[in-house]
Amino acid sequence: METADFIETLRRDGELLADFAVRAGWGTAVPTCPGWQVRDLVAHTGSVHRWAAGYLAGRTQRTPIESCAPKDDHALPAWFRDGHRELVEGITAAPANLECWTFLPAPTPLAFWARRQAHETAVHRVDAERALGAEHREFTPEFARDGIDELLAGFHVRSRSQVRTEQPRTLLVRATDGVPDTEQPSAWLLRLSQEAPCVERLADPSGAPADCTVRGPSAALYLALWNRGRYEDLDVTGDASLVELWRRASAV
């Protein structure tokens, strides 16, 4: 996907998140984030947006994410929208050769932050949808597959991943609406062990042996793997305990 596509998704989903949050009410529980109310969701996402905007302004050193949300609920909508607008404008205006801190492999720092914040905001837009009980706005297959790839081949190959098994196991994730003649992967083989997962992108997963296989449309896989969807909407075959392991241990 192009950086411009991520920017547009970030813009749209941030605006939707704010709208859903206001309509849901600040004290409403967020079903997909146990223990959170809508105010916590907005405070978290708005703080992440400001944190990311600092890197797009050229910050080169890693800094912790600090909550900076106002304590007055009435001030939350404007505060969130201001930070979201700052982030979108920062990504749009950043030079292609921007140099700043990142934490996952990417072609450029600009490409990294556009992608990361698009998925960060998209997932939390779903949280706001669920809190409101609004009809879900689907993701495109291309965006969903990109988010699956970021999660599996980006986050979970790092040493901090908690998805581990005592004995070597394999988990195959397969998007049934993948397009085989594109460069974008539509299947991922996770080799699980006592170490961080090893992830192999597969162009043809038909012959890949796996202890458990999870198949389904890209958007449904995206939501389930980010713990925002139901595995009942997917085709799970083999050892379902690996799906339960993912549910318990995959939060990032």
Side-chain angles (χ1 to χ4, degrees):
M1 292 183 62
E2 299 296 327
T3 296
D5 298 323
F6 289 123
I7 295 173
E8 175 56 24
T9 299
L10 167 62
R11 182 198 61 75
R12 182 191 65 240
D13 281 345
E15 292 174 355
L16 287 171
L17 192 163
D19 178 56
F20 294 150
V22 170
R23 291 164 58 193
W26 303 115
T28 302
V30 182
T32 44
C33 300
W36 273 15
Q37 296 178 332
V38 168
R39 64 171 60 88
D40 302 305
L41 172 65
V42 170
H44 166 78
T45 312
S47 296
V48 170
H49 284 171
R50 284 166 166 75
W51 174 76
Y55 294 109
L56 289 157
R59 185 191 301 145
T60 58
Q61 299 296 316
R62 178 182 179 180
T63 61
I65 301 172
E66 296 182 356
S67 180
C68 52
K71 298 187 182 300
D72 181 359
D73 289 346
H74 295 292
L76 276 171
W79 172 84
F80 177 86
R81 290 187 173 104
D82 286 346
H84 172 246
R85 182 174 59 251
E86 178 187 354
L87 175 60
V88 172
E89 292 176 352
I91 293 178
T92 303
N97 62 350
L98 171 72
E99 294 186 8
C100 65
W101 179 82
T102 63
F103 60 90
L104 294 178
T108 67
L110 178 60
F112 165 80
W113 283 109
R115 180 197 205 195
R116 175 80 288 278
Q117 289 307 301
H119 287 295
E120 175 81 13
T121 306
V123 168
H124 288 315
R125 181 263 286 175
V126 173
D127 294 329
E129 272 180 347
R130 299 290 166 78
L132 177 63
E135 182 178 354
H136 173 59
R137 294 174 63 102
E138 282 285 351
F139 298 108
T140 66
E142 293 77 14
F143 182 78
R145 287 195 295 272
D146 183 84
I148 295 167
D149 189 74
E150 184 197 43
L151 179 64
L152 301 183
F155 280 103
H156 279 287
V157 297
R158 302 191 301 169
S159 61
R160 65 180 62 188
S161 174
Q162 298 300 306
V163 181
R164 304 184 182 218
T165 55
E166 288 295 325
Q167 300 299 323
R169 309 301 300 280
T170 51
L171 173 64
L172 178 64
V173 174
R174 184 174 182 179
T176 54
D177 54 353
V179 182
D181 59 351
T182 68
E183 295 181 1
Q184 190 180 48
S186 59
W188 299 260
L189 182 65
L190 284 70
R191 301 185 188 278
L192 308 178
S193 67
Q194 296 182 39
E195 305 298 326
C198 293
V199 178
E200 180 181 358
R201 299 178 176 100
L202 300 177
D204 180 11
S206 57
D211 295 303
C212 178
T213 299
V214 181
R215 297 181 182 87
S218 301
L221 281 171
Y222 178 75
L223 291 175
L225 291 168
W226 280 97
N227 291 319
R228 265 72 181 184
R230 301 173 352 121
Y231 284 90
E232 291 80 4
D233 297 332
L234 302 170
D235 177 21
V236 179
T237 56
D239 184 359
S241 71
L242 294 181
V243 170
E244 292 305 315
L245 169 66
W246 187 268
R247 280 174 162 160
R248 292 195 314 271
S250 64
V252 296

